[in-house]
Amino acid sequence: MIKLVAFDMDGTFLRSDNTYDVERFEKIYRALQEKDIKVVVISGNQYAQLASFFPKHQEELIIVSENGALIFEGDKLLREAKIARTEIEKVLDVLVSEDLENATTLCGLHSAYLLKSAPKQYKEEIVIYYHALKEISNFQDLPEDDFVKLALLVPEEKTDQLLEKLNQVTGQLVQAVSSGHGSIDIIQRGVHKGSALEFLNQHFGIALQEMMAFGDGGNDLEMLAYVGHSYAMAMLLKRSRKQQSIKRQAIKNQAF
C-alpha cells in the first residue's frame, strides 16, 4: 500500500511554462488525502518558490527544497543540511577563478543571493525560481544566513565538462550535480533527494515499498533508486543508463 508520493517539479509536474492542470491536481490530491497518503513536493528549487505553486495546500504539504537540503512540513523545518562557511568560500573561489561568479546563485535558508553585476538576462531567469532573492555586491562579504547550495546556470552543452571539473576541485565535503537544462547545483556531499526520502522514511516510519516517486533529471536518480515504486519521464531513462552508480533503473511512466 502506498503511503507517500513524491514528485519533482521542473520537467515532471510542471509544464514548460511553469503551469500545471490545477483542476486535475486537486482531484488527485483529494483522493490521496482520503487515503491518508503523504504528498511530497521535492525539487532543487527554493522553498518560497515551491510553496507559491500550492497556496491552498502549503500548510499540509511536505516540501523538500534545494535538492534535499531543506525539508519542511507545512512551515515547520524538519531538516537543514547546511554547508560550512569555509567550504562555501572555497567553492566560491573556484567559481570566481572560472569566471562563473555572475552565473552563480548562493542559496540560503532565508534567501538566495546573486551579484548585482550579474547580466540582466540571468537575473530575469533566476527570479523565476527564487522568490526570496537579494542582490549583493560581492561574494567575499557574505550575508548572515545558513547556506545550503550554490546554483549555476550555464550553456547546456558545457554542463558535463563543468561537472567533471567542479567535482575535481571542490573537495570531499561538497559535490556538483546536474538538474538538467544547463543547471548545476553544488551541495553537501551525501545530501540529495534520495537522502531526503530516507529521512522521511525514518521520520514517519514509512517503508520503502510504501513510497512512490516521479522525476526527470540527474538529480532525481538517487530518489528514484531509493523508493519501492519509481517513475521517470522518458528522457531520464536514456540518461540514467549512463549512470553506472545507480543500480536500479526507473520505470517509464508519466507523472500525474
Side-chain angles (χ1 to χ4, degrees):
M1 178 180 175
I2 300 299
K3 295 184 179 179
L4 182 149
V5 175
F7 56 89
D8 170 60
M9 293 291 283
D10 297 320
T12 302
F13 182 80
L14 295 176
R15 303 183 181 110
S16 59
D17 62 355
N18 273 5
T19 65
Y20 64 94
D21 189 331
V22 176
E23 183 178 350
R24 188 181 185 193
F25 171 75
E26 291 294 334
K27 182 179 178 180
I28 295 172
Y29 184 75
R30 285 194 299 271
L32 294 175
Q33 280 193 312
E34 289 172 1
K35 295 180 180 294
D36 198 28
I37 296 174
K38 296 188 179 300
V39 179
V40 180
V41 178
I42 188 164
S43 171
N45 293 340
Q46 185 186 57
Y47 170 79
Q49 187 252 13
L50 297 173
S52 72
F53 286 109
F54 307 98
K56 292 173 59 177
H57 307 296
Q58 181 179 345
E59 296 181 1
E60 307 159 357
L61 290 169
I62 298 167
I63 297 181
V64 179
S65 64
E66 310 293 9
N67 275 331
L70 298 174
I71 303 177
F72 290 86
E73 184 178 16
D75 60 358
K76 179 183 178 183
L77 180 62
L78 297 182
R79 184 180 86 161
E80 176 189 11
K82 63 182 179 180
I83 305 174
R85 187 167 287 251
T86 53
E87 292 300 312
I88 289 288
E89 292 170 350
K90 184 189 303 183
V91 173
L92 285 170
D93 286 343
V94 173
L95 296 179
V96 170
S97 70
E98 294 294 323
D99 198 27
L100 291 171
E101 66 268 32
N102 281 326
T104 298
T105 302
L106 179 58
C107 307
L109 174 61
H110 302 293
S111 180
Y113 307 88
L114 79 170
L115 294 183
K116 293 178 181 178
S117 57
K120 179 181 178 181
Q121 183 178 358
Y122 177 75
K123 293 179 181 180
E124 291 174 347
E125 178 78 13
I126 291 303
V127 75
I128 297 173
Y129 302 102
Y130 296 93
H131 288 195
L133 184 64
K134 297 179 181 179
E135 295 188 15
I136 58 177
S137 298
N138 59 71
F139 284 135
Q140 284 70 50
D141 301 316
L142 295 178
E144 288 300 320
D145 204 340
D146 292 341
F147 302 116
V148 296
K149 189 184 77 177
L150 295 99
L152 305 179
L153 189 60
V154 300
E156 193 165 355
E157 65 273 11
K158 295 183 178 180
T159 301
D160 290 342
Q161 180 183 354
L162 279 171
L163 277 175
E164 183 177 356
K165 188 164 190 176
L166 286 168
N167 280 317
Q168 286 177 349
V169 299
T170 50
Q172 299 299 312
L173 298 181
V174 296
Q175 62 181 340
V177 298
S178 170
S179 54
H181 316 293
S183 296
I184 295 176
D185 292 337
I186 301 173
I187 56 179
Q188 186 182 130
R189 188 169 293 278
V191 174
H192 44 67
K193 294 181 182 181
S195 69
L197 290 186
E198 182 179 10
F199 172 87
L200 294 176
N201 156 249
Q202 297 171 1
H203 184 78
F204 292 114
I206 298 176
L208 302 186
Q209 288 301 318
E210 298 171 325
M211 290 183 167
M212 178 182 291
F214 299 81
D216 81 301
N219 63 339
D220 295 318
L221 290 173
E222 291 89 352
M223 169 179 74
L224 295 173
Y226 181 75
V227 301
H229 304 271
S230 56
Y231 297 83
M233 310 305 285
M235 287 302 296
L236 176 58
L237 292 178
K238 295 178 182 179
R239 291 194 297 266
S240 62
R241 293 190 183 101
K242 300 178 182 179
Q243 304 293 325
Q244 298 301 319
S245 61
I246 303 298
K247 296 181 181 180
R248 180 166 38 153
Q249 292 290 339
I251 302 170
K252 181 180 179 182
N253 208 322
Q254 181 177 1
F256 290 142

